[in-house]
Amino acid sequence: MNGSKSMLKLAAAALSKGLQESPLKSGLAEKGNFCRTVFLTRRYSAECSGKETNPTSKKSDSGEIDVEIPVKFDLHLLESGPSQVTTTNKEELMKIYTDMQIIRRAEIAADMLFKSQMIRGFCHLYDGQEAVSVGLERALSYDDNVITAYRDHGIFLGRGGTVFELFSELMGKRTGCALGKGGSMHLYHREHNFWGGWGIVGTTPPLGAGLAFGQKYEKKPNVTAAIYGDGAGNQGQLFEAQNLAALWNLPLILVIENNHFGMGTAEWRSSKKTTHYDRVSYIPGIKTDGMDVFAVGEAFKLCKEHCLSGKGPITLEADTYRYHGHSMSDPGSTYRSRQEIQGMRQERDPIERVRKIILKEELATNEELKDLDKQIRHEVDEASAKAREAEFPGEEELFANIYKADSGLIVTGCDRKHSKVQMS
Amino acid sequence: MAMAAAAPTVPICHGRRASPCSSKQVSVSVSVAMRAWASKSSSLSSSSSKSPRLVAAHATAVATKEAASTTSSSQGGHELLMFEALREGLSEEMERDPKVCVIGEDVGDYGGSYKVTKGFSEKFGSWRVLDTPIAENSFTGMAIGSAMTGLRPVVEGMNMGFLLLAYNQIANNCGMLHYTSGGQFTIPIVIRGPGGVGRQLGAEHSQRLESYFQSVPGLQMVACSTPYNAKGLMKAAIRCENPVILYEHVLLYNLKEKIPDEEYVCCLEEAEMVRPGTEITILTYSRMRYHVTQAAKTLVDRGYDPEIIDIRSLKPFDMYTIGESVRKTHRVLIVEECMRTGGIGASLRSAIMESFWDELDGPIGCLSSQDVPTPYSGPLEELTVVQPHQIVTAVENLCGKK
């Protein structure tokens, strides 16, 4: 992603087509006459002009590797941000690579399963945004809370959910994390404090504030990360939750996965202010490159420290991108140019970045990484096959878990005389 | 609706109706009403011999799915899908009246998430087809406010479930204003969107909001079920001076039907006769209409003669059509997709029992969705919604085995 020559070439090519008008100036974009590629490439090249494509890293004698974070953090109401250099080692790098690759392969497999109608309904894929999930896990522990919206496959896997549980749930099988009753948008993992998986846009800030309230109430040394998208940035309940969290100094990290499109509407067509980290005058914020797992990790570390020191909520904006459309019913190319999507894949792909570091520091050879990729793909395919063999939930599951009750409540089915179930 | 001791209600026909076809409909309803008053005084107890004629009059006025609309169309008619019918109706109204505008998420450039407003942005401009941020509470409120000034907005909820965020606006601000202002303001707003249980969309996206809004005074609610009545109800809703909620269904958007070429408007408060019969009245709406017609094939094979009525108007109920049918068959079964507790069926059952107790030979059956959050898993989701075999069993139980 860093002002490379190819990005500038893309921008120049687009400009030469005569599309001079900045979308920001006109406010409402005219359909067809609008090259989104220009906008995004212009911004990224301005941010990292002069930096190389290949991430810089340096291995020390002790085996530790210093990795540079090229994109500067944008700060709001913070005196200092994280360091632009992070330290890692071979073990961590391989783990990060593996984790992101698992998410990527799982999402691609989910795409194919959806097309063959084994997954139905709505399926919102996470590929392209892996760095946010894995970066989060770099800083937060399983004792911290994470809650997110419907684009939750990657977060679920990051929180320690298995691919088998994921696919089972997507196919509606009994072995899914929600017994098949939730589906793609309702994934949960109680033990690792992953609180879902919510379908309505804007739900997570108030609920996240509630989780943080619970932590503060019980005096737990933990934080809550409430994740939402740029589309949810204009929800009234978000502003209300921000006020509540700040008023009561709740340990809440408001995380915006800003992929710049709210379904089919680009951010500049729906928001007067397109950045989110600096929207609130009483909550500090940090904006980070969401395609760089180290940047995300460092930003989360800072946010966690901030919350645990009792300073109240903080906003973390991750500038990221989704390769697929909003969901499987959206091709994703009617409001974005293919050039832009390709450009993102080439210049900013989170997994490629880590791969380049591994190869540069000679932690593994190209063949070894290819073998690892193959192994991951094999594991994902195995999980998918196993999930396909699994059973659907039985009829008795229909009325189970409506209430948590052992008071002998009776629920009647469609026909009161013949279908009665005692709630347990 | 005013319910006198044992008198049927005359269908309320307010709202502007301009086109010649619709006036034909109005005259049919009125003449039907006049005949009903006459027949009511003469035949209080037994099923009236005049009702088959009334029923026949109804059947020609409103197109049924089987009678492929050619009975009500002088020219050939054209075939289209449900979402195209909604688009046609909306487009015609927007051309006719410059005050009609569309407000919703992804309605403009994207063309609507179910393609109902495809091409509108180019045709009418981005100010009349307004792409909103994801902020249902505020843009519904904004639409209501603009309707107060005289505009006629059509608010599209991407899914009915999202309108729960706008519940306060609809319940408090939209339905009540005409009353609390003593008649000074009207809110000619249309709120439309797909609801209902789709194909494994999960609990939060399978809401049926008919039950939530049915007790808000001042609102009118209609549910479309065929391309013919979708277009007609869309036009009627836009021309109506009251706030109207138009319920579409996620799974019905690709229904194909031939509709008339000439302009027509359906009556908002009228129910639709789907299949005349003599043995039992089956009242239904929206997607369940198709489950009922499917079950009816089995029932007819087994020797039953059900009368199927698509009630269409969920608030207020067309108690006239329903009453005439009850007076004829004396048995009622309600089949709906709404929740069992506090759903449309629950209210309808209560209303029928209240007015037509003497006409009933047995208890009113009501098949509705289970009181569960709609599960994602396919087999469980099927169990949540009423299936045709359950309808057949229910009719057999109410009418006796043959």
Side-chain angles (χ1 to χ4, degrees):
Chain A
M1 81 135 276
N2 344 50
S4 61
K5 291 208 176 105
S6 54
M7 286 296 259
L8 292 170
K9 259 195 231 161
L10 275 172
L15 280 170
S16 67
K17 282 183 195 161
L19 302 161
Q20 311 274 353
E21 176 79 7
S22 160
L24 291 176
K25 260 197 275 174
S26 65
L28 292 169
E30 291 106 45
K31 190 171 162 63
N33 207 16
F34 185 148
C35 183
R36 288 146 190 93
T37 310
V38 176
F39 170 80
L40 284 168
T41 55
R42 194 190 298 151
R43 192 167 75 183
Y44 299 133
S45 55
E47 272 180 1
C48 353
S49 55
K51 304 277 181 172
E52 296 165 23
T53 313
N54 293 319
T56 53
S57 52
K58 192 168 72 172
K59 195 169 177 183
S60 69
D61 297 324
S62 58
E64 287 197 333
I65 300 155
D66 288 335
V67 178
E68 195 196 342
I69 298 170
V71 179
K72 268 186 18 313
F73 295 98
D74 287 325
L75 303 173
H76 171 65
L77 301 180
L78 285 170
E79 273 137 30
S80 58
S83 157
Q84 298 288 151
V85 177
T86 186
T87 311
T88 181
N89 56 44
K90 174 180 177 180
E91 206 185 317
E92 191 183 22
L93 273 169
M94 295 309 293
K95 181 173 190 306
I96 287 174
Y97 180 84
T98 310
D99 287 344
M100 290 205 284
Q101 192 69 286
I102 289 176
I103 299 176
R104 178 68 60 90
R105 294 303 335 161
E107 294 300 75
I108 293 174
D111 175 302
M112 294 194 298
L113 286 171
F114 189 91
K115 284 176 179 150
S116 55
Q117 297 207 339
M118 307 225 58
I119 300 176
R120 312 201 73 172
F122 292 136
C123 190
H124 307 86
L125 297 179
Y126 201 70
D127 53 327
Q129 297 184 203
E130 296 89 353
V132 179
S133 169
V134 177
L136 183 156
E137 296 303 333
R138 207 167 168 250
L140 268 55
S141 76
Y142 285 158
D143 291 325
D144 296 310
N145 294 331
V146 175
I147 185 172
T148 185
Y150 44 80
R151 201 175 300 280
D152 54 354
H153 300 176
I155 305 278
F156 172 75
L157 292 172
R159 279 270 106 180
T162 63
V163 182
F164 172 63
E165 277 175 340
L166 170 67
F167 283 148
S168 297
E169 187 61 37
L170 292 178
M171 295 193 228
K173 301 292 172 90
R174 195 198 288 265
T175 42
C177 56
L179 305 176
K181 301 205 265 191
S184 164
M185 293 186 281
H186 304 285
L187 303 172
Y188 307 89
H189 201 302
R190 187 76 180 81
E191 296 90 68
H192 291 172
N193 285 313
F194 174 49
W195 304 78
W198 297 86
I200 303 292
V201 170
T203 305
T204 51
L207 291 177
L211 297 174
F213 180 74
Q215 282 172 329
K216 186 165 179 173
Y217 198 95
E218 314 249 304
K219 297 192 174 51
K220 288 191 179 151
N222 298 110
V223 298
T224 299
I227 307 175
Y228 57 98
D230 47 292
N234 299 313
Q235 274 279 323
Q237 47 190 331
L238 165 65
F239 296 111
E240 291 182 30
Q242 284 166 339
N243 182 48
L244 296 179
L247 191 60
W248 297 320
N249 273 339
L250 302 178
L252 178 66
I253 309 174
L254 290 156
V255 184
I256 302 113
E257 289 176 325
N258 189 348
N259 55 30
H260 310 287
F261 295 93
M263 195 164 131
T265 305
E267 57 182 356
W268 55 85
R269 292 186 60 239
S270 74
S271 308
K272 185 74 179 164
K273 188 168 169 43
T274 53
T275 52
H276 298 259
Y277 72 104
D278 54 355
R279 277 193 182 188
V280 190
S281 61
Y282 49 83
I283 296 182
I286 175 170
K287 179 164 169 232
T288 170
D289 178 5
M291 307 293 262
D292 180 353
V293 65
F294 301 108
V296 173
E298 290 305 307
F300 266 106
K301 277 188 194 141
L302 178 121
C303 289
K304 182 167 177 176
E305 273 166 36
H306 175 96
C307 288
L308 288 181
S309 60
K311 292 192 194 136
I314 185 167
T315 310
L316 193 162
E317 181 175 345
D319 183 355
T320 181
Y321 200 81
R322 51 166 163 85
Y323 295 149
H324 271 87
H326 164 78
S327 71
M328 287 303 297
S329 6
D330 169 31
S333 47
T334 51
Y335 48 88
R336 308 187 296 184
S337 62
R338 286 192 201 278
Q339 255 180 326
E340 176 187 286
I341 304 171
Q342 274 308 106
M344 289 293 170
R345 275 190 196 267
Q346 276 159 21
E347 304 297 328
R348 296 185 72 201
D349 187 84
I351 300 176
E352 277 313 301
R353 160 182 291 276
V354 175
R355 182 199 295 267
K356 279 176 184 157
I357 295 174
I358 292 175
L359 292 175
K360 177 171 183 270
E361 300 305 328
E362 290 168 355
L363 305 173
T365 61
N366 214 2
E367 284 70 40
E368 282 171 347
L369 282 181
K370 281 211 175 95
D371 282 338
L372 180 58
D373 288 347
K374 235 188 271 178
Q375 191 194 338
I376 291 171
R377 196 188 294 214
H378 177 71
E379 277 172 23
V380 165
D381 286 340
E382 242 183 40
S384 160
K386 204 167 143 213
R388 249 177 283 189
E389 300 299 311
E391 273 180 1
F392 281 108
E395 235 183 85
E396 68 282 357
E397 284 296 329
L398 183 65
F399 293 112
N401 307 122
I402 300 179
Y403 294 104
K404 181 108 180 150
D406 44 17
S407 52
L409 286 174
I410 296 183
V411 167
T412 54
C414 198
D415 174 359
R416 275 179 188 263
K417 294 193 186 68
H418 296 107
S419 177
K420 274 189 195 147
V421 172
Q422 180 120 17
M423 306 279 273
S424 58
Chain B
M1 11 166 226
M3 301 294 294
T9 51
V10 177
I12 313 156
C13 290
H14 48 72
R16 293 176 293 155
R17 300 190 194 296
S19 70
C21 275
S22 57
S23 63
K24 176 177 90 171
Q25 282 201 343
V26 168
S27 66
V28 166
S29 333
V30 167
S31 64
V32 157
M34 299 310 288
R35 268 179 272 170
W37 280 108
S39 70
K40 183 70 195 132
S41 51
S42 57
S43 57
L44 261 170
S45 48
S46 56
S47 52
S48 55
S49 53
K50 291 197 177 115
S51 41
R53 256 199 304 147
L54 297 176
V55 164
H58 249 285
T60 50
V62 181
T64 64
K65 192 163 191 290
E66 283 78 27
S69 314
T70 44
T71 50
S72 57
S73 131
S74 47
Q75 294 140 358
H78 56 285
E79 206 175 50
L80 41 51
L81 304 173
M82 168 91 105
F83 71 88
E84 290 167 346
L86 289 163
R87 194 195 298 162
E88 239 183 52
L90 188 49
S91 176
E92 283 173 18
E93 288 306 300
M94 286 183 79
E95 280 163 12
R96 184 175 166 270
D97 184 353
K99 290 197 177 213
V100 180
C101 54
V102 179
I103 297 178
E105 293 159 9
D106 280 323
V107 292
D109 271 14
Y110 195 78
S113 42
Y114 293 95
K115 295 185 282 224
V116 173
T117 49
K118 192 152 187 227
F120 277 33
S121 188
E122 286 88 353
K123 202 164 152 192
F124 299 108
S126 55
W127 199 234
R128 278 186 84 187
V129 189
L130 193 62
D131 266 332
T132 62
I134 307 175
E136 290 81 4
N137 197 356
S138 44
F139 73 67
T140 308
M142 191 183 94
I144 293 169
S146 63
M148 281 158 61
T149 66
L151 292 186
R152 309 187 82 88
V154 176
V155 174
E156 172 170 319
M158 194 180 277
N159 187 293
M160 273 295 177
F162 305 165
L163 290 182
L164 286 172
L165 284 162
Y167 193 88
N168 168 58
Q169 300 289 347
I170 299 171
N172 271 330
N173 303 344
C174 173
M176 299 192 184
L177 186 64
H178 192 62
Y179 184 92
T180 55
S181 64
Q184 286 183 68
F185 300 111
T186 57
I187 306 191
I189 190 175
V190 175
I191 298 168
R192 49 161 289 265
V197 176
R199 201 73 75 204
Q200 294 186 243
L201 299 180
E204 288 176 357
H205 287 67
S206 310
Q207 298 272 36
R208 282 79 82 199
L209 294 201
E210 305 90 81
S211 56
Y212 296 179
F213 291 122
Q214 65 172 327
S215 55
V216 178
L219 291 182
Q220 280 191 247
M221 305 201 305
V222 284
C224 60
S225 49
T226 65
Y228 177 85
N229 63 34
K231 180 177 171 186
L233 289 174
M234 169 75 91
K235 289 168 73 85
I238 293 174
R239 295 185 193 188
C240 183
E241 291 300 321
N242 298 318
V244 179
I245 306 187
L246 171 58
Y247 291 93
E248 301 153 15
H249 197 286
V250 271
L251 292 181
L252 295 184
Y253 278 124
N254 288 329
L255 268 182
K256 203 184 266 200
E257 192 186 6
K258 209 172 193 186
I259 64 167
D261 288 327
E262 63 266 19
E263 198 188 6
Y264 68 93
V265 180
C266 288
C267 179
L268 275 183
E269 299 84 10
E270 204 170 55
E272 184 177 323
M273 177 67 66
V274 180
R275 182 191 185 279
T278 55
E279 211 166 337
I280 178 171
T281 301
I282 306 182
L283 302 171
T284 182
Y285 66 94
S286 193
R287 182 180 165 223
M288 287 297 115
R289 170 184 171 142
Y290 297 99
H291 280 206
V292 169
T293 45
Q294 198 180 331
K297 288 190 196 130
T298 314
L299 287 169
V300 165
D301 282 341
R302 295 191 191 177
Y304 293 95
D305 188 21
E307 175 155 294
I308 305 175
I309 294 179
D310 182 344
I311 61 175
R312 256 176 25 187
S313 174
L314 306 178
K315 188 179 165 75
F317 293 130
D318 180 1
M319 291 310 288
Y320 178 72
T321 311
I322 295 169
E324 284 302 296
S325 180
V326 174
R327 221 168 266 120
K328 188 171 48 152
T329 65
H330 308 294
R331 290 181 199 92
V332 183
L333 173 67
I334 301 170
V335 180
E336 57 162 359
E337 200 177 319
C338 208
M339 314 301 280
R340 181 162 194 76
T341 304
I344 295 288
S347 308
L348 186 53
R349 215 176 188 180
S350 174
I352 296 173
M353 189 217 72
E354 206 170 48
S355 315
F356 306 116
W357 172 256
D358 291 324
E359 303 289 342
L360 291 170
D361 277 351
I364 303 173
C366 181
L367 299 179
S368 40
S369 291
Q370 308 310 319
D371 277 335
V372 299
T374 314
Y376 168 78
S377 186
L380 287 185
E381 192 187 54
E382 265 182 37
L383 291 172
T384 314
V385 175
V386 180
Q387 299 296 336
H389 68 91
Q390 289 170 316
I391 302 170
V392 170
T393 313
V395 169
E396 285 177 348
N397 288 338
L398 284 169
C399 294
K401 283 251 180 221
K402 296 228 169 165

